[in-house]
Amino acid sequence: MFNKSKSPAPTPQSRADSGSSIPPLPDLPAPGQPAASAPRSAGPAPVSQRGLSTLSSDLQFEGAITGGGDLQIDGAIKGDVRVGRLIVGETGAVEGNVSADYVEVRGRIVGGISGKQVKLIATAYVDGDITAEQMSIDIGAYFQGRVLQGRREAPAATPAPRPAAPAAEPAPQIIDMKSGG
C-alpha cells in the first residue's frame, strides 16, 4: 500500500552540523538555511513570538486569567479572561467575561465578549453580549445576545472642550440578534 521513497537518508554529518538530532519544525527554516518566504493562509491572526499557552481539555480552572499573551482554551474556565489573543477550542468552555484583541470561538462562552476582532466559528455557542470592531458569525454558530459594533477611540492627551449643543455624531450600531444552529 505504501511505497518506500527512494530519497537518500540524511547523512550523520548534516545532523552534527545542526547541533542536535531534532529536526526543525516544518514551518521554520533549518539551522543555517535562509528563511524562505512561504505563502501563508488567510487563517487566524498570527501567534506572538512568545507562543501560545494552552489549557488542555482535561483541565478545569476557577478564577480570573489576565495577561498580554496568547491563550487557547480547550478545558473549562469559570471566571473572567483578559489576554492579547484568545482561541476557545471546540471542547473549551468559559463562564465569565472575555476580553482580547482577537477572539475566536469554536466552543462555548456564557458571558460578554469584548475585542477588536471577534469570530464565531460554526461550532460556537455564545450566550452574552459582544462588543467588537470587526465581527463574523459562521453559519451554524449559536449566538444569543446583543452586538455593539464600533471603533475604539484613542484617549486624547488633553480633554477637548465639549460643545454646548450635541454634535451630529454617528451612533454605534446596536444589533439585537437571536440565531440558532
Side-chain angles (χ1 to χ4, degrees):
M1 181 166 170
F2 295 102
N3 293 331
K4 189 172 183 180
S5 68
K6 301 291 183 189
S7 63
T11 62
Q13 181 184 17
S14 65
R15 285 188 183 177
D17 291 343
S18 68
S20 75
S21 61
I22 300 172
L25 294 173
D27 60 340
L28 297 176
Q33 292 181 352
S37 59
R40 295 196 178 246
S41 64
V47 177
S48 73
Q49 295 296 331
R50 288 178 288 203
L52 180 69
S53 298
T54 304
L55 181 74
S56 65
S57 61
D58 60 340
L59 294 176
Q60 296 182 358
F61 183 85
E62 195 164 329
I65 295 178
T66 59
D70 302 337
L71 177 64
Q72 176 161 344
I73 300 171
D74 292 325
I77 293 180
K78 287 186 180 180
D80 295 344
V81 178
R82 181 180 206 99
V83 293
R85 181 176 180 263
L86 177 68
I87 299 172
V88 179
E90 289 186 21
T91 60
V94 177
E95 286 185 41
N97 294 323
V98 168
S99 178
D101 286 340
Y102 174 84
V103 180
E104 181 177 302
V105 184
R106 296 176 179 272
R108 178 182 182 95
I109 294 180
V110 177
I113 299 174
S114 175
K116 289 182 182 177
Q117 185 177 15
V118 176
K119 291 184 178 185
L120 304 185
I121 308 302
T123 56
Y125 176 98
V126 175
D127 188 355
D129 296 345
I130 297 175
T131 303
E133 290 180 21
Q134 297 177 351
M135 167 120 182
S136 69
I137 302 175
D138 285 355
I139 294 174
Y142 176 86
F143 169 64
Q144 180 172 326
R146 296 180 304 161
V147 174
L148 175 63
Q149 186 176 14
R151 297 205 181 273
R152 294 182 186 171
E153 294 181 17
T158 58
R162 293 198 133 272
E169 295 181 12
Q173 299 175 348
I174 298 177
I175 304 168
D176 192 7
M177 300 178 69
K178 292 184 180 171
S179 64

